[in-house]
Amino acid sequence: MSSFVVHRDGRPASAAELAPLAFAGYAHFTAMQARGGRVRGLDLHLARLRAASVELFGRALPDDLVRDRLRAALSAGPDDVSLTATVYSPEGEFTAGGSGAEPELLVRTGPAASGPRGPLALAVVAYERVLPRVKHVGEVAKTYYLRRAVEQGFDDAAFADRHGRLSEATIWNLAFWDGSAVVWPEAEMLGGTTMGVVRRRLDALGVPQRVQEVRPADLPALAGAVVMNSWTPGVAVRRIGSVSLPEAPSFVEVLHRAYESEPLVAP
C-alpha cells in the first residue's frame, strides 16, 4: 500500500465522523516516526497515552487495543510514515462528562519527517502551558508564539516560566551541553518520548547527564543547546534570545547516536 490513512477505532474514518472532531479541543495525542512499520520508544508512547487518558477522562484504553489500532494504520500505508494517535471522548468538550463513555482513538499517518537542519535561533517568551505534562490538542499559543518569533527574525520560540526558568520550546524539548554532560532543564514541562529514549540510552552509553534550572543568564556558561521532538533527537540551537551558543556538533552527534541505539519495535 502507498496511501496514508485516517482511522477511527481501527477502521477508515468517514467525513461525518471526522467533522465534529475538527472543532474539538479536549483530547490528547502522541506522535511518532515509523520506519519499516516499527517505532522507537513504543513503551513510552503507550505510557503517555495511558497517563493522559486517566488525567482527562478518568480511564484509559488497553495497551493491546492501542497497539492493534497502530498496527492497522501502519499496515495500510507505506513503510516509513509519521504517525499521530489521538485519544478523545465522544462526550466532546464543554460538557461535564461523567456518562462513562469509553475514550476513542483516532490514528493518522502522513509523510515521514526528520525535522529542520538547523542551527536554530529561538526567541524567549514568558509562557506556561496548562497541564504541561499532558500532550493535549488545541494549544493556540504554540503556533501564535512560533509565528511571532518568525516575524522577529527567529526560527521558533522557547518558553520561560514565572520563575524565569527555561522549560521547553513550542513543539520541542530543550537540552543543553556543558562540555561533558547533558543538562536537562528543571521546570514544569512535557516529558517528550524522544527525550525519554535519549535519556535512557545515554545512561546505557555512560554519558553523564543531570537536571538543573537553566535561565537565560546561565546560557553563556553552557557549551551548546538543541531542540528535540518526535522528528529528531537533536537540532542545534545557535541563539536563545540575545545569547549566542556554540553549535557543538559532538553534542548533537552523541544525542543521535544514543537515540539510534534504541531498537525499533513493531506495535
Side-chain angles (χ1 to χ4, degrees):
M1 301 294 290
S2 60
S3 60
F4 300 112
V5 302
V6 179
H7 280 189
R8 176 178 178 267
D9 287 337
R11 56 181 175 77
S14 68
E17 291 171 325
L18 291 176
L21 302 179
F23 303 98
Y26 195 73
H28 67 87
F29 70 102
T30 194
M32 62 193 81
Q33 293 296 313
R35 300 292 183 264
R38 300 178 298 163
V39 301
R40 290 183 172 91
L42 178 64
D43 60 322
L44 300 177
H45 288 287
L46 294 174
R48 165 186 277 172
L49 293 178
R50 282 197 310 272
S53 288
V54 171
E55 178 71 26
L56 295 188
F57 311 124
R59 61 183 66 196
L61 296 169
D63 284 358
D64 286 348
L65 184 147
V66 174
R67 295 178 70 153
D68 179 69
R69 302 295 191 249
L70 297 180
R71 284 195 300 271
L74 290 172
S75 66
D79 287 343
D80 298 344
V81 297
S82 299
L83 184 147
T84 303
T86 301
V87 182
Y88 64 97
S89 170
E91 295 173 318
E93 60 182 345
F94 309 122
T95 62
S99 72
E102 287 291 328
E104 297 183 0
L105 183 65
L106 193 71
V107 181
R108 173 172 56 91
T109 60
S114 58
R117 289 184 57 85
L120 306 179
L122 308 180
V124 177
V125 176
Y127 178 67
E128 297 179 32
R129 295 193 308 111
V130 175
L131 293 175
R133 296 187 184 278
V134 175
K135 191 175 180 69
H136 46 77
V137 305
E139 293 187 84
V140 65
K142 290 183 173 183
T143 302
Y144 177 82
Y145 287 124
L146 164 63
R147 293 182 177 182
R148 298 294 84 78
V150 170
E151 288 174 359
Q152 297 165 22
F154 293 90
D155 300 299
D156 210 322
F159 299 147
D161 67 12
R162 72 194 73 181
H163 307 293
R165 302 177 301 181
L166 294 170
S167 57
E168 55 192 330
T170 55
I171 58 170
W172 313 88
N173 282 118
L174 291 167
F176 302 95
W177 182 242
D178 71 359
S180 60
V182 179
V183 179
W184 303 99
E186 181 177 346
E188 289 295 316
M189 71 181 80
L190 177 70
T193 53
T194 297
M195 175 182 173
V197 167
V198 168
R199 291 185 71 166
R200 68 189 180 192
R201 301 312 298 180
L202 288 174
D203 279 340
L205 293 173
V207 177
Q209 49 186 324
R210 67 179 185 277
V211 177
Q212 71 175 54
E213 294 182 350
V214 178
R215 294 175 171 82
D218 301 320
L219 295 174
L222 294 171
V226 301
V227 290
M228 64 178 65
N229 63 10
S230 63
W231 292 337
T232 172
V235 177
V237 173
R238 63 179 175 86
R239 180 161 60 100
I240 298 179
S242 61
V243 181
S244 295
L245 290 155
E247 291 184 26
S250 62
F251 176 37
V252 176
E253 187 277 331
V254 76
L255 295 176
H256 281 259
R257 178 157 48 91
Y259 180 74
E260 289 162 8
S261 70
E262 175 87 3
L264 288 156
V265 297

